[in-house]
């Protein structure tokens, strides 16, 4: 399905960024709505999401609809020139639905029902929920489908955030139907699930259940199929709602994804094609070691889902959230840096949760565009400043990020690599992907995130991290890419099993053995906290393996640990390219050094001055123009080579850009200036007079 350009959603003559928030007028009175609309104008807000949690007000009792308040809100926003991203309102059923149909409540893996009182308390397979939710969508779509203020449809909200996995009998029966569709025959299912093991062979479809809590470990193939089923089941709710909307309205349809480190239930590679606009919600997660690196990763994943086209950030926080153990407020400039990192990485729309901070309910202490303190606040000032900044950057909207390196990532591999009964619990899929990503980011390398098996033409290098289960076809995309001159870096525990997670015998890493020119007999995971030394000065943790070079050149070997003298890092010339194998978990610096070496080997342009610096540099290009984003995460001013026009503060830049501590600068590069670093444009080329200038600034 071809996408609707985000920058054209508002029918502006020229592309522009959308800017706004979730707006929950249900929580406020009509006088406040008017004040809200005026303040939205002041902040430069042009698109708000409404009716996200509106169901209980729109349908207080079954079949009794009341649209009076929403009608008013829609008109007020329209009169103030604010576009609407209209929610279908189905994200949380009203109390009557599950009070009258308790079977529609979700069931957890231990067989207990979850109660009404939070949100999303419904079983995704419930026919009762489906029927009532679609009836509501029908009403909303018929009423507002042609309203000129409706620029976009917002199906439900973060589908599957809380209720992706329901284990109830209704879900079990839907699971069986899904399995029949997938396998056709019980024999095929038994084969794929390996039910010869532990007396699990099924003789009738009705015997198959959802993978509820068992005494010992369960069947891994069943577990993964259930996760696939659950993702599909939730997507089906989206499809059903979108179909109703499309009967009544020509406006594009989307829902907000959750590309984030703590939710992995939805396989968005399978969802992306169904969206008219790709939208993501992202919150800085202070439970992670590197929250801003994860932000960049999520933005790049979202761009990958959008096929490289611009996308929309549907939710983020102006400051603190309320759902982490310690809800850290943003420091001055941090919100702008976060936002412009998303923009640098392809966002053409920026929205927050939420417009006005709630005074009741469990999200009272979540930040908003308009905080409890009102407009006399730093948060409000930053919101108004961001509105202005997005206008100044308007010409960037519609341009694309271009990358030389692809990093493979997927939700299915996340499920599979993290299954239990693996060699070590220390190996976590996302952590391995993040480590590779962070190392490349720290070296200033922009990457595209691609699905396993994706086309790799046009890249110089691909990185495959901990991709445990791969089909022959997926493996071939990497081998063919290398044979044709590309370079690959593959990390440990990749290529071990096939598409149904059956071990590939004859030596690990089965699917990539030939490409890598190595053969591993046995894994030797390390004790938690144990470190081994390598002969090139690196150290490593978590994993080693008894590996033999079979044609590959040995780059580094272990000095100690269980396998002294055994190769740990190898490089194999293969066809016209080369494939590196990282058979252990290198320390951060060595991983960055090795990936930078592989990238340089692949002909990726690297700026050595960026390595280890606090600058994040990304280029967007389009219509013959290049825009250089430089984000300074550090607390000292920094220099970066650039020639062109700076768009945030204004002014010509002749050779050297000064980026104050914590600030962001965006330069429209002069036509003759290189968009990517070259040997001449590295900071070594910065004139001494500019260095003086910065010293004075500090
Ligand atoms: C999102 C959700 C919003 C709000 C926000 C708080 O997950 O879509 O409704 O709850 O989190 O951070």
């Amino acid at each position: 399905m071809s996408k609707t350009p985000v920058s054209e959603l508002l029918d502006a003559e020229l592309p522009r960024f959308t800017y706004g928030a979730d707006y929950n007028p249900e929580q406020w009175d009509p006088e406040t709505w008017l004040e809200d609309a005026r303040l939205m104008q002041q902040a430069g807000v042009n698109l708000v999401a409404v009716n996200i949690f509106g169901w209980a007000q729109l349908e207080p009792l079954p079949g009794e609809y009341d649209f009076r308040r929403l009608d008013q809100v829609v008109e007020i926003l329209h009169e103030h020139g604010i576009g609407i991203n209209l929610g279908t309102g189905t994200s949380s059923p009203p109390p009557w639905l599950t009070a009258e149909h308790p079977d529609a409540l979700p069931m957890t893996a231990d067989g207990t029902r979850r109660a009404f009182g939070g949100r999303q308390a419904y079983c995704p397979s419930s026919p009762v929920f489906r029927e009532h939710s679609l009836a509501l969508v029908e009403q909303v779509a018929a009423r507002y489908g042609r309203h000129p203020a409706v620029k976009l449809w917002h199906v439900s909200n973060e589908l599957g955030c809380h209720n992706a996995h329901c284990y109830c009998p209704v879900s079990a029966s839907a699971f069986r139907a899904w399995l029949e569709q997938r396998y056709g025959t019980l024999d095929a299912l038994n084969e794929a699930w390996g039910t010869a093991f532990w007396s699990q062979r099924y003789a009738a479809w009705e015997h198959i259940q959802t993978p509820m809590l068992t005494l010992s470990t369960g069947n891994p193939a069943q577990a993964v199929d259930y996760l696939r089923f659950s993702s599909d089941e939730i997507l089906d709710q989206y499809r059903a709602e979108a179909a109703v909307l499309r009967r009544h309205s020509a406006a594009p349809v989307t829902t907000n994804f959750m590309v984030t480190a703590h939710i992995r239930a939805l396989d968005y590679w399978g969802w992306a094609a169904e969206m008219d606009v790709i939208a993501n919600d992202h919150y800085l997660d202070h439970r992670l070691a590197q929250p801003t690196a994860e932000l960049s990763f999520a933005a790049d994943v979202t761009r990958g889902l959008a096929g490289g086209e611009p996308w929309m950030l549907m939710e983020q926080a102006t400051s603190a959230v309320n759902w982490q153990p310690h809800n850290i407020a943003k420091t001055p400039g941090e919100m702008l840096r976060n936002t412009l990192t998303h923009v640098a990485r392809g966002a053409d729309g920026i929205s927050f949760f939420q417009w006005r901070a709630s005074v009741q309910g469990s999200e009272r202490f979540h930040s908003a565009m308009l905080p409890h303190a009102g407009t006399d606040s730093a948060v409000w000032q930053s919101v108004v400043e961001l509105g202005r900044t997005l206008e100044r950057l308007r010409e960037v909207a519609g341009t694309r990020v271009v990358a030389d390196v692809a990093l493979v990532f997927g939700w299915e591999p996340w499920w599979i690599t993290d299954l239990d009964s693996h060699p070590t619990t220390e190996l976590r899929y996302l952590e391995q992907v993040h480590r590779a990503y962070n190392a490349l980011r720290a070296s200033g390398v922009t990457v595209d995130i691609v699905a396993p098996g994706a086309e790799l033409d046009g890249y110089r290098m691909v990185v495959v991290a901990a991709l445990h289960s791969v089909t022959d076809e997926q493996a071939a995309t990497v081998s063919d890419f290398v044979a044709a001159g590309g370079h690959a870096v593959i990390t440990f525990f990749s290529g071990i099993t096939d598409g149904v997670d059956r071990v590939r015998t004859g030596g690990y890493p089965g699917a990539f053995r030939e490409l890598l020119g190595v053969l591993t007999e046995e894994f030797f995971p390390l004790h938690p906290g144990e470190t081994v030394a390598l002969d090139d000065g690196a150290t490593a943790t978590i994993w080693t393996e008894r590996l033999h070079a079979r044609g590959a050149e040995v780059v580094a070997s272990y000095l100690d640990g269980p396998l002294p003298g055994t190769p740990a890092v190898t490089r194999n010339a293969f066809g016209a390219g080369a494939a590196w194998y990282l058979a252990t978990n290198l320390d951060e610096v060595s991983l960055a050094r090795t990936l930078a070496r592989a990238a340089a080997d692949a002909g990726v342009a690297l700026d050595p001055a960026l390595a280890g610096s606090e600058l994040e540099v990304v280029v967007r290009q389009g219509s013959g123009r290049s825009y250089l984003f430089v984000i300074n995460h550090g607390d000292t001013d920094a220099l970066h080579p650039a020639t062109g026009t700076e768009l945030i503060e204004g002014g010509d830049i002749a050779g050297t850009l000064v980026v104050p501590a914590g600030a962001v600068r965006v330069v429209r590069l002069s036509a003759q200036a290189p968009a990517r670093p070259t040997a001449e444009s590295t900071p070594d080329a910065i004139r001494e007079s500019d260095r003086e200038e910065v010293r004075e600034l500090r």
Side-chain angles (χ1 to χ4, degrees):
M1 182 175 291
S2 76
K3 304 281 179 242
T4 305
V6 176
S7 57
E8 291 170 22
L9 279 176
L10 299 171
D11 323 315
E13 282 155 30
L14 286 172
R16 75 186 296 193
F17 289 93
T18 64
Y19 183 44
D22 272 20
Y23 179 39
N24 296 305
E26 300 87 8
Q27 299 174 19
W28 306 100
D29 53 36
E31 292 79 70
T32 313
W33 299 342
L34 279 171
E35 184 187 319
D36 283 334
R38 279 193 295 268
L39 287 173
M40 285 175 190
Q41 284 181 325
Q42 235 180 67
V45 162
N46 54 31
L47 184 73
V48 291
V50 293
N51 195 37
I52 303 301
F53 293 99
W55 193 346
Q57 287 204 0
L58 295 184
E59 193 183 3
L61 285 169
E64 287 181 20
Y65 295 100
D66 179 357
F67 285 98
R68 281 171 300 177
R69 283 170 61 93
L70 186 55
D71 284 352
Q72 266 179 280
V73 170
V74 167
E75 288 318 315
I76 291 173
L77 291 170
H78 187 43
E79 280 158 18
H80 286 78
I82 295 156
I84 299 177
N85 171 17
L86 189 57
T88 54
T90 57
S91 57
S92 273
W96 55 259
L97 194 142
T98 46
E100 290 184 11
H101 306 280
D103 285 0
L105 285 166
M107 183 179 277
T108 49
D110 63 357
T112 54
R113 289 268 179 200
R114 282 299 167 98
F116 178 85
R119 62 177 173 184
Q120 276 187 354
Y122 64 86
C123 157
S125 302
S126 161
V128 172
F129 177 81
R130 180 63 64 88
E131 184 193 326
H132 285 283
S133 59
L134 293 191
L136 176 70
V137 181
E138 186 76 38
Q139 293 281 330
V140 173
R143 193 167 191 94
Y144 304 108
R146 292 180 211 288
H147 195 291
V150 176
K151 307 298 182 193
L152 181 63
W153 285 104
H154 186 301
V155 169
S156 189
N157 186 59
E158 292 191 341
L159 281 158
C161 174
H162 308 280
N163 66 342
H165 302 136
C166 178
Y167 296 80
C168 78
V170 173
S171 298
S173 139
F175 182 38
R176 289 192 283 270
W178 183 92
L179 289 167
E180 275 204 68
Q181 186 77 26
R182 182 176 175 89
Y183 293 108
T185 65
L186 265 184
D187 280 350
L189 176 137
N190 279 311
E191 172 74 18
W193 283 16
T195 55
F197 179 78
W198 277 0
S199 182
Q200 291 183 353
R201 188 171 180 82
Y202 290 99
W205 290 102
E206 309 81 73
H207 299 163
I208 301 172
Q209 297 298 328
T210 54
M212 299 186 79
L213 281 190
T214 45
L215 285 175
S216 66
T217 45
N219 181 316
Q222 177 192 15
V224 172
D225 266 347
Y226 171 75
L227 296 175
R228 292 186 179 113
F229 152 78
S230 300
S231 176
D232 285 358
E233 201 69 348
I234 305 257
L235 175 59
D236 207 50
Q237 175 71 24
Y238 173 85
R239 275 202 202 101
E241 294 196 28
V244 176
L245 296 172
R246 293 198 167 105
R247 273 198 280 108
H248 293 282
S249 176
V253 182
T254 190
T255 190
N256 40 351
F257 289 176
M258 298 163 288
V259 176
T260 176
H262 62 278
I263 294 175
R264 54 167 211 171
L266 298 319
D267 178 5
Y268 290 131
W269 288 123
W271 286 44
E274 312 261 350
M275 309 289 138
D276 294 332
V277 162
I278 295 293
N280 192 41
D281 292 354
H282 188 271
Y283 293 92
L284 269 194
D285 191 338
H286 289 283
R287 296 165 295 191
L288 300 171
Q290 298 187 47
T292 53
E294 192 273 333
L295 182 155
S296 302
F297 174 74
D300 287 347
V301 174
T302 311
R303 187 178 71 253
L305 291 165
E309 297 293 340
W311 49 277
M312 182 181 248
L313 182 70
M314 193 73 97
E315 287 182 26
Q316 65 166 341
T318 55
S319 193
V321 298
N322 67 308
W323 44 263
Q324 290 173 24
H326 311 106
N327 296 299
I328 310 299
K330 293 190 181 176
T331 52
E334 190 175 0
M335 186 272 270
L336 194 69
R337 283 200 301 284
N338 292 168
T339 305
L340 295 185
T341 305
H342 286 294
V343 171
R345 296 179 183 277
D348 271 3
I350 296 295
S351 292
F352 293 92
F353 175 85
Q354 61 178 325
W355 164 253
R356 183 184 277 272
S358 300
V359 290
Q360 292 182 292
S362 65
E363 295 186 321
R364 300 190 302 287
F365 299 111
H366 193 293
S367 62
M369 291 177 93
L370 184 58
H372 292 152
T375 53
D376 190 11
S377 60
V379 165
W380 175 255
Q381 277 158 26
S382 71
V383 159
V384 173
E385 185 195 344
L386 176 57
R388 278 195 221 113
T389 304
L390 291 176
E391 272 307 298
R392 290 181 190 143
L393 295 180
R394 187 163 176 171
E395 62 183 87
V396 177
T399 59
R400 295 172 59 120
V401 176
V402 185
D404 281 342
V405 178
L407 171 64
V408 175
F409 165 76
W411 286 267
E412 270 203 19
W414 192 352
W415 305 335
I416 298 173
T417 302
D418 284 2
L419 283 170
D420 53 19
S421 307
H422 277 176
T424 171
T425 55
E426 300 287 303
L427 164 57
R428 310 301 294 170
Y429 175 72
L430 191 65
E431 194 178 308
Q432 292 302 317
V433 173
H434 277 171
R435 291 189 90 242
Y437 179 87
N438 295 354
L440 290 162
R441 176 176 173 269
S443 303
V445 177
T446 304
V447 307
D448 278 347
I449 308 294
V450 300
E455 182 59 62
L456 296 170
D457 274 4
Y459 293 110
R460 290 178 185 273
M461 179 166 110
V462 63
V463 179
V464 178
L467 192 68
H468 174 61
S469 150
V470 272
T471 62
D472 292 347
E473 295 73 34
Q474 289 167 346
T477 56
V478 181
S479 311
D480 293 350
F481 167 72
V482 176
H487 289 231
V489 178
I490 297 178
T491 75
F492 59 99
F493 211 44
S494 295
I496 307 301
T497 63
D498 66 10
V500 292
D501 203 15
R502 188 176 10 217
V503 173
R504 294 170 181 272
T505 53
Y508 311 126
F512 297 122
R513 211 167 48 216
E514 196 192 328
L515 169 67
L516 294 169
V518 300
L519 187 147
T520 290
E521 295 173 46
E522 190 179 0
F523 305 132
F524 277 72
L526 301 175
H527 293 282
E530 185 181 354
T531 300
V532 292
L534 274 63
D535 58 11
D536 64 351
T539 59
T541 50
I542 298 181
W543 190 273
T544 62
E545 49 190 53
R546 194 192 295 283
L547 178 144
H548 305 279
R550 292 281 159 85
E553 161 202 348
V554 177
V555 176
S557 302
Y558 301 108
L559 285 177
D560 55 17
L563 299 166
T566 301
V569 177
T570 59
R571 179 188 182 279
N572 191 39
F574 184 86
W580 296 65
Y581 186 44
L582 276 48
T584 188
N585 190 52
L586 292 174
D587 67 86
E588 211 172 292
V589 172
S590 306
L591 179 63
R593 192 186 61 215
T594 309
L595 283 171
R597 191 172 154 196
D601 192 22
V604 175
L606 289 169
D607 181 345
L610 287 178
S613 86
E614 306 226 57
L615 292 188
E616 182 162 357
V617 177
V618 186
V619 174
R620 284 184 69 161
Q621 293 177 324
S623 310
R625 287 180 164 177
S626 294
Y627 298 92
L628 174 80
F629 283 72
V630 186
I631 299 144
N632 186 354
H633 294 283
D635 51 16
T636 54
D637 301 343
L639 298 175
H640 192 76
T643 297
T645 306
E646 205 286 321
L647 301 178
I648 296 184
E649 293 295 311
D652 290 337
I653 309 298
T656 304
L657 172 71
V658 179
V659 190
V664 184
R665 292 291 178 262
V666 182
V667 180
R668 184 204 309 124
L669 296 171
S670 309
Q672 64 277 22
R676 308 276 183 87
T678 63
E680 302 78 58
S681 70
T682 61
D684 284 347
I686 290 174
R687 286 170 291 129
E688 188 51 30
S689 58
D690 291 324
R691 294 189 192 280
E692 287 298 331
E693 189 186 316
V694 171
R695 273 179 219 126
E696 279 161 25
L697 272 171
R698 281 181 193 155

